Amino acid sequence: MSCSSCNGCSSSEKRGCGTSSVFNWLAGVDDLKTSKHRNLVEVQFKNNRKGYFENTQNIKLSEGDLVTVEVESGYDVGKINLIGEIVYYQIKRKKINTSTNPLKKIYREAKENEINNYERLIDLETVIVKKAKKIIYKHNLEMKLVDVEYQADNTKAVFYYTAEKRVDFRGLIKDFSKEFKMRIEMKQIGVRQESAMVGGIGSCGRELCCSTWMTEFPPVSTSSARYQQLSINPQKISGQCGKLKCCLNFELDSYLDSLKLFPKSNKTLKTKKGDAKQIKIDVFKRTLQYVYKNNDPGIYEISLAQTLKIIEENKKGNIPESIEEILINKDKIK
């Protein structure tokens, strides 16, 4: 049975629906009848949590189906994301050793009563979060509860939290178990994972990348902003999570490749009017902006080709009259 009830719903309406879009780049190439990995399945649970399973019973499955799967204790329900050869490459990419950690099994397509219970627990999670926050407040713990995820068989609950320091959970877990009457697991996450769970709209006007398609969060440094000639203004280059925006990494490789063609920022252009220093570059327009080191207030934009020509002439001992003269005769230098 497919998760048709999720079509068109918002995250607030269906907190258990996965939001990440998955592109099967082997679709149309992978022949499930001949592929030796045709029984491998990627299943997505709440909060973009994914697991890899084996369809040992050769159940006829399709992407988007809800299935009941084996877990360490009991069973859980999730949605099929990918099937077949591409799952093998996903497992390989994440360096999962299936020899020492064999894949668990898919039991069956989720039954109607299992789906109903699964949806009931998703609706219940909002209430549970509110109750859990009150218990945390009573214990005066320095932590922030972000979300809770119930196992579909109603035997286990995972509480996701953020904290700057180590938290003593002994009394908290005891009260949680007493209140919710099930096994409790506390899982600490980072602020980026918190933003992915909460969701929101970025400064670009689109839904946050971390809550839609991103599943891994590589580190982002201020050098990524510097290479792209961005102002190091925390308010402009920080995301909803308070950390540097993940998108600063998206075009970084293109900038680094282009910057190899440009002279170093400390390279001075020598002219008879005076030495000029670089203040800004535009890698897409392939232009550079220079100002004279003397009191000339002008800002002069010249092409990369013109700049390299001046540097080459300077090495030969030739000093042009001025940057202005170069700009007047720019048609002579391409």
Side-chain angles (χ1 to χ4, degrees), residues 79-102:
K79 183 182 70 173
I80 293 180
N81 257 355
L82 300 169
I83 300 174
E85 193 76 13
I86 192 171
V87 181
Y88 166 76
Y89 289 107
Q90 290 284 75
I91 293 172
K92 187 176 180 180
R93 181 177 67 88
K94 295 188 177 181
K95 299 179 180 179
I96 299 173
N97 190 336
T98 55
S99 299
T100 56
N101 297 299

Side-chain angles (χ1 to χ4, degrees), residues 94-144:
K94 295 188 177 181
K95 299 179 180 179
I96 299 173
N97 190 336
T98 55
S99 299
T100 56
N101 297 299
L103 298 180
K104 291 183 168 49
K105 305 173 183 177
I106 289 182
Y107 286 140
R108 56 187 170 272
E109 281 193 78
K111 298 178 181 178
E112 185 175 355
N113 64 315
E114 292 171 335
I115 295 174
N116 291 336
N117 189 54
Y118 164 76
E119 293 178 343
R120 181 184 65 82
L121 291 174
I122 289 173
D123 293 334
L124 185 62
E125 286 168 359
T126 303
V127 178
I128 298 301
V129 168
K130 292 180 180 179
K131 289 184 179 180
K133 286 182 177 179
K134 291 180 180 179
I135 297 174
I136 292 171
Y137 180 78
K138 184 180 70 174
H139 283 265
N140 195 28
L141 296 175
E142 295 184 4
M143 58 176 287
K144 178 183 177 183

Side-chain angles (χ1 to χ4, degrees), residues 207-226:
E207 192 174 352
L208 297 178
C209 296
C210 59
S211 63
T212 49
W213 61 271
M214 288 186 72
T215 57
E216 296 178 357
F217 306 102
V220 186
S221 65
T222 53
S223 61
S224 299
R226 291 192 180 97

Side-chain angles (χ1 to χ4, degrees), residues 21 28 38 85 94 107 132 149 157 169 177 182-183 246 309:
S21 56
R38 63 182 179 275
E85 193 76 13
K94 295 188 177 181
Y107 286 140
E149 180 181 1
F169 291 121
S177 300
M182 63 179 61
R183 289 187 300 114
C246 294
K309 181 66 176 178

Side-chain angles (χ1 to χ4, degrees), residues 7 86 91 107 143 184 188 193 203 211 242 296 303 308 311:
N7 292 337
I86 192 171
I91 293 172
Y107 286 140
M143 58 176 287
I184 303 297
Q188 186 173 4
Q193 286 79 9
S203 57
S211 63
D296 188 322
S303 70
L308 295 177
I311 293 173

Side-chain angles (χ1 to χ4, degrees), residues 193-209:
Q193 286 79 9
E194 178 188 3
S195 289
M197 289 183 178
V198 174
I201 304 297
S203 57
C204 59
R206 297 173 65 93
E207 192 174 352
L208 297 178
C209 296

